[in-house]
Amino acid sequence: MPKKQKIAIVGATGAVGEELLNVLAELDFPVESILPLASAKSVGSEVEFKGKFYKVKELTQSVFKEHPVDIAFFSAGATVSEKYAKFAVESGAVVIDNTSHFRMDKDVPLVVPECNALDIKEWKKTGIIANPNCSTIQMVQVLKPLDGLFDLKRVDVSTYQAASGAGKEGMQELVEAMQSFFAFKLDEFKAEVFPHTLALNLIPQIDIFMDNDYTKEELKMVNETQKILHKNLEISATCVRVPVLRSHSEAITLHFKKEVDIKKAKEILAKAPSVVLMDEPKNKKYPMPLMISDTNETYVGRIRADIYDKKILHLWCVADQIRVGAATNAVRIAQKWLEFEKCN
Ligand code: A2P
């Protein structure tokens, strides 16, 4: 049995922070204690872990010195990680960072354990391991096994991303906009979290636009996928916010160097770690966000050969954004980190 770990959760009152506690308990991670951290406004509130209650403390520069931990999960936004992760590292903790801040730093491993667990071994360079963007995680879990079979060359992906990607405030704004609709007041609704009203709508913008007219979210999918798979793939992404609460869906077109054998593609996906094959279109069985929410796997369906080109495959995948896209991946990184540290 590995040594029990002292755990800090920065952003413990947020959507991902809360789910981290659930996943740590469900996966029976060896936890000695929990240090929940958030902004000053949450001080005094409590979080529950395995029937025990822990008081939320304010995130400060000195809190990690006063209450040293082994692992600090950061999930309170990129500016918070930029400012405070170094204090956790200085106090001796490994930081598992769920924000975009460190992801493309060449000295910080960016990890989806099912794809590149060994990269975790580089953690000592900075003390930080980065958790990828939610849309990237579920996509690479599907790309990796297929790349091994047919040698991936290019990926075209369109995402259908849930409100949860913008945290609790995003989910709340969607619910309030729906309520406005049922009160016949949707035209008076003022969106603040999203760039437009999300209820009954689709917004083809996630994050800000960059000079090349792609959004930052779309470029995250490109750059992070290449870093995780250690491959210079051609990738194009169109990221769309949809009025769904908490699971992201993706329609992916994969271009390979070799011809695709559909039977083999399905077989390898059925065996791939953390992937569930749900592909019985004649029985109307395919993954959908409502049924996939609150699970720890990436579900794949609608797998089909291209009509014109034997080297192209199309598929659809869905995963819970708060779990697979954030909390579950972070806990799986922690599990692997612990396994590697034990061997040292
Ligand atoms: P708080 O609830 O005190 O504002 P979500 O992604 O669901 O919106 O959650 C964001 C999380 O990040 C919350 O736990 C929030 O705490 C925390 N957070 C945001 N800003 C800060 C900050 N400056 N210092 C510490 N925690 C923060």
Side-chain angles (χ1 to χ4, degrees):
M1 183 73 181
K3 185 176 149 278
K4 288 192 170 181
Q5 304 290 301
K6 295 191 182 109
I7 308 280
I9 297 184
V10 179
T13 53
V16 174
E18 282 176 1
E19 208 63 53
L20 272 166
L21 290 164
N22 294 334
V23 176
L24 284 166
E26 279 171 32
L27 300 189
D28 211 16
F29 193 82
V31 174
E32 184 181 315
S33 60
I34 298 285
L35 173 66
L37 299 169
S39 73
K41 83 169 199 273
S42 299
V43 171
S45 60
E46 291 184 328
V47 301
E48 193 209 328
F49 179 73
K50 289 193 169 174
K52 238 176 124 177
F53 288 87
Y54 295 84
K55 279 213 161 23
V56 174
K57 291 193 166 45
E58 185 182 358
L59 174 66
T60 59
Q61 295 187 0
S62 59
V63 73
F64 298 105
K65 241 192 206 147
E66 290 153 14
H67 306 277
V69 296
D70 304 297
I71 302 172
F73 292 100
F74 271 69
S75 202
T79 48
V80 171
S81 292
E82 180 181 17
K83 187 162 170 205
Y84 292 97
K86 56 177 175 284
F87 300 109
V89 171
E90 273 166 28
S91 74
V94 59
V95 167
I96 300 178
D97 185 43
N98 195 44
T99 78
S100 60
H101 186 68
F102 298 104
R103 287 184 193 147
M104 295 314 294
D105 182 326
K106 67 174 181 20
D107 291 326
V108 173
L110 179 68
V111 178
V112 174
E114 294 81 356
C115 299
N116 63 333
L118 289 178
D119 288 356
I120 290 174
K121 295 189 175 186
E122 305 291 308
W123 78 276
K124 280 201 173 122
K125 285 186 183 164
T126 59
I128 298 166
I129 304 167
N131 205 31
N133 172 265
C134 44
S135 309
T136 307
I137 295 174
Q138 69 183 78
M139 184 169 81
V140 294
Q141 286 178 339
V142 173
L143 299 190
K144 175 77 180 173
L146 294 169
D147 179 41
L149 269 188
F150 310 121
D151 202 356
L152 204 48
K153 198 174 83 177
R154 181 183 168 96
V155 176
D156 293 293
V157 55
S158 293
T159 70
Y160 304 72
Q161 295 182 224
S164 58
K168 273 187 181 173
E169 285 181 351
M171 289 190 275
Q172 186 63 28
E173 185 166 295
L174 173 58
V175 169
E176 283 167 12
M178 293 300 290
Q179 285 165 340
S180 299
F181 170 74
F182 287 112
F184 303 101
K185 289 182 175 161
L186 191 60
D187 46 354
E188 290 168 29
F189 187 80
K190 291 257 171 307
E192 283 171 9
V193 178
F194 301 114
H196 302 276
T197 301
L198 185 57
L200 307 177
N201 203 8
L202 302 172
I203 307 175
Q205 176 188 353
I206 300 181
D207 213 326
I208 53 171
F209 280 98
M210 309 301 281
D211 287 345
N212 61 2
D213 290 340
Y214 283 86
T215 61
K216 204 167 171 191
E217 180 85 354
E218 289 160 353
L219 296 183
K220 280 179 197 167
M221 288 192 81
V222 174
N223 298 326
E224 294 180 19
T225 300
Q226 291 173 343
K227 179 167 174 178
I228 295 161
L229 297 181
H230 301 284
K231 195 162 180 168
N232 253 341
L233 281 177
E234 291 171 16
I235 305 169
S236 146
T238 304
C239 293
V240 181
R241 187 74 72 192
V242 300
V244 162
L245 271 179
R246 63 173 281 169
S247 282
H248 285 359
S249 306
E250 297 177 357
I252 312 179
T253 294
L254 303 100
H255 306 245
F256 297 98
K257 289 193 186 139
K258 297 181 189 163
E259 286 192 5
V260 177
D261 178 328
I262 282 283
K263 196 164 160 266
K264 278 194 186 147
K266 289 187 185 181
E267 277 168 11
I268 198 104
L269 287 171
K271 285 191 278 184
S274 307
V275 171
V276 176
L277 185 66
M278 185 184 276
D279 198 18
E280 294 175 45
K282 298 223 163 52
N283 297 325
K284 298 185 195 151
K285 267 190 97 177
Y286 31 70
M288 292 181 285
L290 210 49
M291 63 162 72
I292 298 313
S293 290
D294 235 4
T295 65
N296 288 316
E297 283 77 35
T298 294
Y299 287 71
V300 191
R302 300 292 326 274
I303 300 169
R304 60 214 187 276
D306 190 70
I307 297 171
Y308 307 98
D309 188 330
K310 290 193 166 97
K311 294 179 182 170
I312 293 180
L313 182 74
H314 305 277
L315 56 79
W316 168 254
C317 78
V318 184
D320 183 310
Q321 182 271 330
I322 310 177
R323 283 184 170 242
V324 174
T328 305
N329 198 66
V331 174
R332 286 190 180 131
I333 289 174
Q335 286 176 318
K336 277 282 168 200
W337 174 82
L338 202 53
E339 196 182 304
F340 294 148
E341 284 305 287
K342 238 179 21 190
C343 303
N344 274 338

